[in-house]
Amino acid sequence: MKTIIANWKMNVGVRESVALARATLLTLRGRKQIPELVICPPLVALSETRKVVAHSAVSLGAQNVFWKDAGAFTGEVSGRMLTELGVSHVIIGHSERRAHLGETDAMVNLKVLHALEVGLIPIVCVGETRDQRNGGRALEVVREQVLAAFKSARLRSNDRLYVAYEPVWAIGTGEACTVDNALETHAMIRDMLAKQFSGDQLKVLYGGSVDGENAYGFLREREVDGVLVGGASVKINQFKDVVAAASEVLEAQHD
Ligand code: PEP
C-alpha cells in the first residue's frame, strides 16, 4: 500500500479546508486501487473537515501535537484532544517548525512518545539543509535526527510509525531531490530502525517538491512507501495527478 500525506500547512482556512477536502475526496473516485490518503488541515479546520471525510477512505492528520495530556500549556494541544477530533495521524518535527519555532530533536522525541501512547500514528520529518548536504553531512544529520526521534520508543502490535525524509532544501523550492538520493536515505533509515520496529509497522516516505509530474518516479520504487506533499496538495489539479500516480503504481502491482 502506498501512502499520500497532504500537508496543507497554514495555507487554507476553515471554509477553504472544507472545499479542499471535498475536492480531495473526488480525486479517489473511479479508481480501481487507491492509496492511503491522509489530509492534514490547520488545527482550526480539523473539526469541520472531519465531517467531510467521515466514513470515507480519507484519514485526518494534524500538523503538530504537544507531549502532555493536559495542564497549563497555553496554546498547545494534546494527542488525546486530537483523537477526540477523529485525528489518526500527526506530523511531528516538520522542518518549518524546527526552523521557525525552535523545535529540537528532544522535543520531537517527546512528541513521538506521546503520540504513540495515545494511539496516533506519528509522521516524523527528518532531513538535511543545503549547507549540510554540500558539506557531505546529509546522511549523518538524518541519522542523528532519527536516533533522537525514536529514543526509548516501543511499538505495540497495532502501532504504526511513518518517517518522512524531507531534505530541507527541497521543501517548497520546486527542486525535488533525485530518486537515487531518496533511495539511499530511505535504505539507511529502514536499516537503522529494523532492530527497533518490525518492517510492516514502519513506512518511509519522501517529501520535498513532490508534484503531479515527479510523483510517479518516487512512488514506483519499492523503498518509497509514499509521499508527503505540501504545496501541490492545495492545488487540486496537481494533487489529482499525485493520487493518479499512486493508483497507477498500485494497479501495476496488483496485476
Ligand atoms: C512539506 O510540507 O513537508 C513539503 C514537502 O512541502 P512541498 O511539497 O511544498 O515541498
Side-chain angles (χ1 to χ4, degrees):
M1 172 59 78
K2 298 285 177 180
T3 294
I4 302 177
I5 312 287
N7 176 16
W8 294 352
K9 312 196 191 203
M10 206 177 73
N11 286 323
V12 279
V14 180
R15 263 180 301 174
E16 290 165 296
S17 291
V18 167
L20 190 55
R22 289 199 183 113
T24 301
L25 266 181
L26 290 179
T27 65
L28 296 176
R29 195 179 259 184
R31 302 202 180 279
K32 286 198 221 102
Q33 298 289 328
I34 57 169
E36 178 190 35
L37 183 48
V38 184
I39 54 172
C40 305
L43 182 66
V44 292
L46 283 171
S47 205
E48 288 301 309
T49 310
R50 178 192 194 180
K51 295 176 191 163
V52 179
V53 297
H55 314 297
S56 79
V58 175
S59 306
L60 203 54
Q63 297 177 16
N64 182 35
V65 65
F66 192 58
W67 58 81
K68 294 275 192 189
D69 269 333
F73 303 105
T74 303
E76 293 296 334
V77 171
S78 76
R80 273 188 225 289
M81 294 170 183
L82 293 175
T83 59
E84 274 185 77
L85 288 174
V87 168
S88 53
H89 297 64
V90 60
I91 297 173
I92 295 176
H94 193 283
S95 64
E96 286 154 12
R97 295 195 58 84
R98 293 181 192 253
H100 304 307
L101 293 146
E103 200 153 296
T104 63
D105 281 340
M107 289 156 81
V108 169
N109 179 237
L110 288 170
K111 291 179 180 203
V112 169
L113 298 179
H114 175 75
L116 289 171
E117 174 70 31
V118 302
L120 287 168
I121 299 175
I123 304 161
V124 179
C125 300
V126 294
E128 80 285 357
T129 62
R130 192 180 295 279
D131 280 354
Q132 289 164 337
R133 168 150 292 271
N134 290 344
R137 295 188 52 231
L139 288 176
E140 178 193 332
V141 167
V142 172
R143 173 177 284 280
E144 280 167 12
Q145 289 174 339
V146 170
L147 275 178
F150 302 114
K151 198 169 154 204
S152 312
R154 299 274 169 277
L155 296 191
R156 291 160 298 204
S157 57
N158 286 334
D159 288 346
R160 283 182 296 147
L161 183 68
Y162 299 176
V163 180
Y165 169 52
E166 300 209 300
V168 178
W169 51 268
I171 297 180
T173 58
E175 185 193 349
C177 84
T178 63
V179 173
D180 283 348
N181 175 181
L183 292 181
E184 181 188 29
T185 315
H186 280 212
M188 183 193 75
I189 293 170
R190 226 181 272 285
D191 200 48
M192 283 179 71
L193 296 177
K195 289 180 216 86
Q196 205 173 346
F197 311 118
S198 83
D200 53 356
Q201 291 183 298
L202 173 71
K203 283 190 177 224
V204 186
L205 318 173
Y206 169 73
S209 293
V210 171
D211 58 23
E213 300 246 307
N214 62 21
Y216 185 82
F218 290 102
L219 287 165
R220 73 174 168 198
E221 300 291 341
R222 203 173 47 87
E223 275 285 345
V224 178
D225 292 314
V227 287
L228 196 162
V229 188
S233 69
V234 293
K235 297 182 193 117
I236 203 65
N237 280 335
Q238 279 285 327
F239 194 66
K240 181 167 57 59
D241 291 346
V242 176
V243 173
S247 294
E248 205 179 314
V249 170
L250 289 168
E251 277 164 32
Q253 288 174 350
H254 201 70
D255 290 339

PDB file of all heavy atoms in Angstrom, residues 217-241:
ATOM      1  N   GLY A 217       7.714   8.816 -10.302  1.00  0.00           N
ATOM      2  CA  GLY A 217       9.120   8.384 -10.218  1.00  0.00           C
ATOM      3  C   GLY A 217       9.501   7.939  -8.814  1.00  0.00           C
ATOM      4  O   GLY A 217      10.297   7.008  -8.637  1.00  0.00           O
ATOM      5  N   PHE A 218       8.956   8.601  -7.804  1.00  0.00           N
ATOM      6  CA  PHE A 218       9.225   8.184  -6.421  1.00  0.00           C
ATOM      7  C   PHE A 218       8.362   6.983  -6.044  1.00  0.00           C
ATOM      8  O   PHE A 218       8.839   5.999  -5.490  1.00  0.00           O
ATOM      9  CB  PHE A 218       8.950   9.342  -5.447  1.00  0.00           C
ATOM     10  CG  PHE A 218       9.950  10.460  -5.544  1.00  0.00           C
ATOM     11  CD1 PHE A 218       9.641  11.643  -6.213  1.00  0.00           C
ATOM     12  CD2 PHE A 218      11.208  10.332  -4.987  1.00  0.00           C
ATOM     13  CE1 PHE A 218      10.568  12.670  -6.315  1.00  0.00           C
ATOM     14  CE2 PHE A 218      12.150  11.351  -5.077  1.00  0.00           C
ATOM     15  CZ  PHE A 218      11.815  12.521  -5.747  1.00  0.00           C
ATOM     16  N   LEU A 219       7.082   7.088  -6.375  1.00  0.00           N
ATOM     17  CA  LEU A 219       6.129   6.083  -5.870  1.00  0.00           C
ATOM     18  C   LEU A 219       6.346   4.696  -6.473  1.00  0.00           C
ATOM     19  O   LEU A 219       6.007   3.692  -5.857  1.00  0.00           O
ATOM     20  CB  LEU A 219       4.696   6.560  -6.145  1.00  0.00           C
ATOM     21  CG  LEU A 219       4.238   7.712  -5.245  1.00  0.00           C
ATOM     22  CD1 LEU A 219       2.977   8.375  -5.801  1.00  0.00           C
ATOM     23  CD2 LEU A 219       3.981   7.209  -3.821  1.00  0.00           C
ATOM     24  N   ARG A 220       6.936   4.639  -7.669  1.00  0.00           N
ATOM     25  CA  ARG A 220       7.104   3.305  -8.282  1.00  0.00           C
ATOM     26  C   ARG A 220       8.212   2.506  -7.587  1.00  0.00           C
ATOM     27  O   ARG A 220       8.355   1.307  -7.804  1.00  0.00           O
ATOM     28  CB  ARG A 220       7.384   3.443  -9.771  1.00  0.00           C
ATOM     29  CG  ARG A 220       8.757   3.938 -10.066  1.00  0.00           C
ATOM     30  CD  ARG A 220       9.039   3.930 -11.544  1.00  0.00           C
ATOM     31  NE  ARG A 220      10.254   4.684 -11.773  1.00  0.00           N
ATOM     32  CZ  ARG A 220      10.624   5.172 -12.935  1.00  0.00           C
ATOM     33  NH1 ARG A 220       9.865   5.017 -13.993  1.00  0.00           N
ATOM     34  NH2 ARG A 220      11.738   5.828 -13.056  1.00  0.00           N
ATOM     35  N   GLU A 221       9.023   3.181  -6.765  1.00  0.00           N
ATOM     36  CA  GLU A 221      10.118   2.486  -6.080  1.00  0.00           C
ATOM     37  C   GLU A 221       9.594   1.729  -4.856  1.00  0.00           C
ATOM     38  O   GLU A 221       8.851   2.289  -4.056  1.00  0.00           O
ATOM     39  CB  GLU A 221      11.188   3.496  -5.617  1.00  0.00           C
ATOM     40  CG  GLU A 221      11.819   4.281  -6.738  1.00  0.00           C
ATOM     41  CD  GLU A 221      12.699   3.398  -7.636  1.00  0.00           C
ATOM     42  OE1 GLU A 221      13.101   2.296  -7.208  1.00  0.00           O
ATOM     43  OE2 GLU A 221      12.975   3.827  -8.783  1.00  0.00           O
ATOM     44  N   ARG A 222      10.049   0.491  -4.715  1.00  0.00           N
ATOM     45  CA  ARG A 222       9.594  -0.326  -3.584  1.00  0.00           C
ATOM     46  C   ARG A 222      10.007   0.292  -2.246  1.00  0.00           C
ATOM     47  O   ARG A 222       9.294   0.218  -1.249  1.00  0.00           O
ATOM     48  CB  ARG A 222      10.178  -1.739  -3.726  1.00  0.00           C
ATOM     49  CG  ARG A 222       9.410  -2.827  -3.004  1.00  0.00           C
ATOM     50  CD  ARG A 222       9.964  -4.194  -3.354  1.00  0.00           C
ATOM     51  NE  ARG A 222      11.418  -4.231  -3.282  1.00  0.00           N
ATOM     52  CZ  ARG A 222      12.105  -4.489  -2.172  1.00  0.00           C
ATOM     53  NH1 ARG A 222      11.469  -4.751  -1.053  1.00  0.00           N
ATOM     54  NH2 ARG A 222      13.429  -4.491  -2.186  1.00  0.00           N
ATOM     55  N   GLU A 223      11.184   0.904  -2.219  1.00  0.00           N
ATOM     56  CA  GLU A 223      11.713   1.521  -0.995  1.00  0.00           C
ATOM     57  C   GLU A 223      10.916   2.750  -0.553  1.00  0.00           C
ATOM     58  O   GLU A 223      11.088   3.245   0.554  1.00  0.00           O
ATOM     59  CB  GLU A 223      13.155   1.993  -1.236  1.00  0.00           C
ATOM     60  CG  GLU A 223      14.213   0.946  -1.046  1.00  0.00           C
ATOM     61  CD  GLU A 223      14.474   0.654   0.426  1.00  0.00           C
ATOM     62  OE1 GLU A 223      14.049   1.444   1.276  1.00  0.00           O
ATOM     63  OE2 GLU A 223      15.083  -0.382   0.704  1.00  0.00           O
ATOM     64  N   VAL A 224      10.088   3.293  -1.461  1.00  0.00           N
ATOM     65  CA  VAL A 224       9.333   4.514  -1.144  1.00  0.00           C
ATOM     66  C   VAL A 224       7.888   4.112  -0.845  1.00  0.00           C
ATOM     67  O   VAL A 224       7.127   3.759  -1.739  1.00  0.00           O
ATOM     68  CB  VAL A 224       9.404   5.527  -2.315  1.00  0.00           C
ATOM     69  CG1 VAL A 224       8.580   6.776  -2.014  1.00  0.00           C
ATOM     70  CG2 VAL A 224      10.851   5.906  -2.616  1.00  0.00           C
ATOM     71  N   ASP A 225       7.543   4.171   0.429  1.00  0.00           N
ATOM     72  CA  ASP A 225       6.191   3.745   0.827  1.00  0.00           C
ATOM     73  C   ASP A 225       5.138   4.803   0.529  1.00  0.00           C
ATOM     74  O   ASP A 225       3.943   4.533   0.671  1.00  0.00           O
ATOM     75  CB  ASP A 225       6.159   3.420   2.325  1.00  0.00           C
ATOM     76  CG  ASP A 225       6.971   2.182   2.647  1.00  0.00           C
ATOM     77  OD1 ASP A 225       6.824   1.182   1.930  1.00  0.00           O
ATOM     78  OD2 ASP A 225       7.770   2.227   3.603  1.00  0.00           O
ATOM     79  N   GLY A 226       5.582   5.992   0.198  1.00  0.00           N
ATOM     80  CA  GLY A 226       4.611   7.037  -0.103  1.00  0.00           C
ATOM     81  C   GLY A 226       5.279   8.389  -0.165  1.00  0.00           C
ATOM     82  O   GLY A 226       6.516   8.494  -0.124  1.00  0.00           O
ATOM     83  N   VAL A 227       4.453   9.430  -0.285  1.00  0.00           N
ATOM     84  CA  VAL A 227       4.986  10.791  -0.393  1.00  0.00           C
ATOM     85  C   VAL A 227       4.235  11.738   0.540  1.00  0.00           C
ATOM     86  O   VAL A 227       3.057  11.548   0.825  1.00  0.00           O
ATOM     87  CB  VAL A 227       4.898  11.325  -1.848  1.00  0.00           C
ATOM     88  CG1 VAL A 227       5.925  10.640  -2.737  1.00  0.00           C
ATOM     89  CG2 VAL A 227       3.500  11.171  -2.431  1.00  0.00           C
ATOM     90  N   LEU A 228       4.964  12.726   1.016  1.00  0.00           N
ATOM     91  CA  LEU A 228       4.355  13.802   1.802  1.00  0.00           C
ATOM     92  C   LEU A 228       4.343  15.031   0.897  1.00  0.00           C
ATOM     93  O   LEU A 228       5.394  15.457   0.409  1.00  0.00           O
ATOM     94  CB  LEU A 228       5.168  14.043   3.076  1.00  0.00           C
ATOM     95  CG  LEU A 228       4.498  14.844   4.190  1.00  0.00           C
ATOM     96  CD1 LEU A 228       5.226  14.623   5.514  1.00  0.00           C
ATOM     97  CD2 LEU A 228       4.404  16.319   3.909  1.00  0.00           C
ATOM     98  N   VAL A 229       3.170  15.559   0.663  1.00  0.00           N
ATOM     99  CA  VAL A 229       3.018  16.626  -0.329  1.00  0.00           C
ATOM    100  C   VAL A 229       2.554  17.909   0.359  1.00  0.00           C
ATOM    101  O   VAL A 229       1.533  17.906   1.058  1.00  0.00           O
ATOM    102  CB  VAL A 229       1.971  16.219  -1.394  1.00  0.00           C
ATOM    103  CG1 VAL A 229       1.936  17.230  -2.532  1.00  0.00           C
ATOM    104  CG2 VAL A 229       2.250  14.817  -1.933  1.00  0.00           C
ATOM    105  N   GLY A 230       3.291  18.992   0.159  1.00  0.00           N
ATOM    106  CA  GLY A 230       2.907  20.275   0.743  1.00  0.00           C
ATOM    107  C   GLY A 230       2.186  21.130  -0.285  1.00  0.00           C
ATOM    108  O   GLY A 230       0.973  21.017  -0.486  1.00  0.00           O
ATOM    109  N   GLY A 231       2.940  21.988  -0.981  1.00  0.00           N
ATOM    110  CA  GLY A 231       2.363  22.953  -1.919  1.00  0.00           C
ATOM    111  C   GLY A 231       1.370  22.350  -2.904  1.00  0.00           C
ATOM    112  O   GLY A 231       0.291  22.905  -3.142  1.00  0.00           O
ATOM    113  N   ALA A 232       1.725  21.207  -3.484  1.00  0.00           N
ATOM    114  CA  ALA A 232       0.851  20.614  -4.512  1.00  0.00           C
ATOM    115  C   ALA A 232      -0.426  20.018  -3.915  1.00  0.00           C
ATOM    116  O   ALA A 232      -1.352  19.704  -4.664  1.00  0.00           O
ATOM    117  CB  ALA A 232       1.621  19.549  -5.297  1.00  0.00           C
ATOM    118  N   SER A 233      -0.483  19.883  -2.595  1.00  0.00           N
ATOM    119  CA  SER A 233      -1.692  19.270  -2.018  1.00  0.00           C
ATOM    120  C   SER A 233      -2.850  20.265  -1.919  1.00  0.00           C
ATOM    121  O   SER A 233      -3.999  19.878  -1.754  1.00  0.00           O
ATOM    122  CB  SER A 233      -1.397  18.671  -0.638  1.00  0.00           C
ATOM    123  OG  SER A 233      -1.136  19.677   0.310  1.00  0.00           O
ATOM    124  N   VAL A 234      -2.539  21.564  -2.032  1.00  0.00           N
ATOM    125  CA  VAL A 234      -3.620  22.556  -2.022  1.00  0.00           C
ATOM    126  C   VAL A 234      -3.954  23.042  -3.438  1.00  0.00           C
ATOM    127  O   VAL A 234      -4.792  23.925  -3.614  1.00  0.00           O
ATOM    128  CB  VAL A 234      -3.309  23.764  -1.080  1.00  0.00           C
ATOM    129  CG1 VAL A 234      -3.281  23.326   0.365  1.00  0.00           C
ATOM    130  CG2 VAL A 234      -2.005  24.457  -1.455  1.00  0.00           C
ATOM    131  N   LYS A 235      -3.249  22.486  -4.413  1.00  0.00           N
ATOM    132  CA  LYS A 235      -3.575  22.778  -5.835  1.00  0.00           C
ATOM    133  C   LYS A 235      -4.196  21.498  -6.369  1.00  0.00           C
ATOM    134  O   LYS A 235      -3.479  20.547  -6.718  1.00  0.00           O
ATOM    135  CB  LYS A 235      -2.314  23.128  -6.615  1.00  0.00           C
ATOM    136  CG  LYS A 235      -1.636  24.380  -6.113  1.00  0.00           C
ATOM    137  CD  LYS A 235      -0.418  24.693  -6.966  1.00  0.00           C
ATOM    138  CE  LYS A 235       0.433  25.752  -6.295  1.00  0.00           C
ATOM    139  NZ  LYS A 235       1.773  25.281  -5.921  1.00  0.00           N
ATOM    140  N   ILE A 236      -5.513  21.457  -6.422  1.00  0.00           N
ATOM    141  CA  ILE A 236      -6.187  20.180  -6.628  1.00  0.00           C
ATOM    142  C   ILE A 236      -5.836  19.530  -7.962  1.00  0.00           C
ATOM    143  O   ILE A 236      -5.763  18.298  -8.052  1.00  0.00           O
ATOM    144  CB  ILE A 236      -7.718  20.314  -6.393  1.00  0.00           C
ATOM    145  CG1 ILE A 236      -8.308  18.942  -6.053  1.00  0.00           C
ATOM    146  CG2 ILE A 236      -8.404  21.007  -7.536  1.00  0.00           C
ATOM    147  CD1 ILE A 236      -7.856  18.343  -4.777  1.00  0.00           C
ATOM    148  N   ASN A 237      -5.550  20.327  -8.998  1.00  0.00           N
ATOM    149  CA  ASN A 237      -5.182  19.719 -10.277  1.00  0.00           C
ATOM    150  C   ASN A 237      -3.851  18.979 -10.202  1.00  0.00           C
ATOM    151  O   ASN A 237      -3.660  17.932 -10.799  1.00  0.00           O
ATOM    152  CB  ASN A 237      -5.132  20.750 -11.395  1.00  0.00           C
ATOM    153  CG  ASN A 237      -6.546  21.040 -11.879  1.00  0.00           C
ATOM    154  OD1 ASN A 237      -7.439  20.189 -11.736  1.00  0.00           O
ATOM    155  ND2 ASN A 237      -6.761  22.246 -12.392  1.00  0.00           N
ATOM    156  N   GLN A 238      -2.938  19.555  -9.415  1.00  0.00           N
ATOM    157  CA  GLN A 238      -1.653  18.889  -9.176  1.00  0.00           C
ATOM    158  C   GLN A 238      -1.871  17.642  -8.325  1.00  0.00           C
ATOM    159  O   GLN A 238      -1.351  16.567  -8.602  1.00  0.00           O
ATOM    160  CB  GLN A 238      -0.726  19.834  -8.388  1.00  0.00           C
ATOM    161  CG  GLN A 238      -0.026  20.860  -9.221  1.00  0.00           C
ATOM    162  CD  GLN A 238       1.116  20.213 -10.004  1.00  0.00           C
ATOM    163  OE1 GLN A 238       1.753  19.273  -9.548  1.00  0.00           O
ATOM    164  NE2 GLN A 238       1.334  20.697 -11.214  1.00  0.00           N
ATOM    165  N   PHE A 239      -2.670  17.830  -7.292  1.00  0.00           N
ATOM    166  CA  PHE A 239      -2.833  16.739  -6.329  1.00  0.00           C
ATOM    167  C   PHE A 239      -3.518  15.530  -6.967  1.00  0.00           C
ATOM    168  O   PHE A 239      -3.174  14.389  -6.677  1.00  0.00           O
ATOM    169  CB  PHE A 239      -3.604  17.234  -5.098  1.00  0.00           C
ATOM    170  CG  PHE A 239      -3.491  16.268  -3.954  1.00  0.00           C
ATOM    171  CD1 PHE A 239      -2.269  16.038  -3.338  1.00  0.00           C
ATOM    172  CD2 PHE A 239      -4.591  15.563  -3.506  1.00  0.00           C
ATOM    173  CE1 PHE A 239      -2.146  15.119  -2.301  1.00  0.00           C
ATOM    174  CE2 PHE A 239      -4.482  14.643  -2.472  1.00  0.00           C
ATOM    175  CZ  PHE A 239      -3.255  14.419  -1.871  1.00  0.00           C
ATOM    176  N   LYS A 240      -4.465  15.830  -7.841  1.00  0.00           N
ATOM    177  CA  LYS A 240      -5.171  14.774  -8.564  1.00  0.00           C
ATOM    178  C   LYS A 240      -4.154  13.878  -9.301  1.00  0.00           C
ATOM    179  O   LYS A 240      -4.277  12.661  -9.304  1.00  0.00           O
ATOM    180  CB  LYS A 240      -6.121  15.461  -9.565  1.00  0.00           C
ATOM    181  CG  LYS A 240      -6.970  14.569 -10.402  1.00  0.00           C
ATOM    182  CD  LYS A 240      -8.074  15.349 -11.102  1.00  0.00           C
ATOM    183  CE  LYS A 240      -7.658  16.489 -11.998  1.00  0.00           C
ATOM    184  NZ  LYS A 240      -6.821  16.363 -13.126  1.00  0.00           N
ATOM    185  N   ASP A 241      -3.138  14.499  -9.869  1.00  0.00           N
ATOM    186  CA  ASP A 241      -2.131  13.729 -10.606  1.00  0.00           C
ATOM    187  C   ASP A 241      -1.237  12.917  -9.664  1.00  0.00           C
ATOM    188  O   ASP A 241      -0.749  11.851 -10.032  1.00  0.00           O
ATOM    189  CB  ASP A 241      -1.270  14.669 -11.472  1.00  0.00           C
ATOM    190  CG  ASP A 241      -2.083  15.249 -12.632  1.00  0.00           C
ATOM    191  OD1 ASP A 241      -3.187  14.724 -12.907  1.00  0.00           O
ATOM    192  OD2 ASP A 241      -1.617  16.223 -13.253  1.00  0.00           O
TER     193      ASP A 241
END
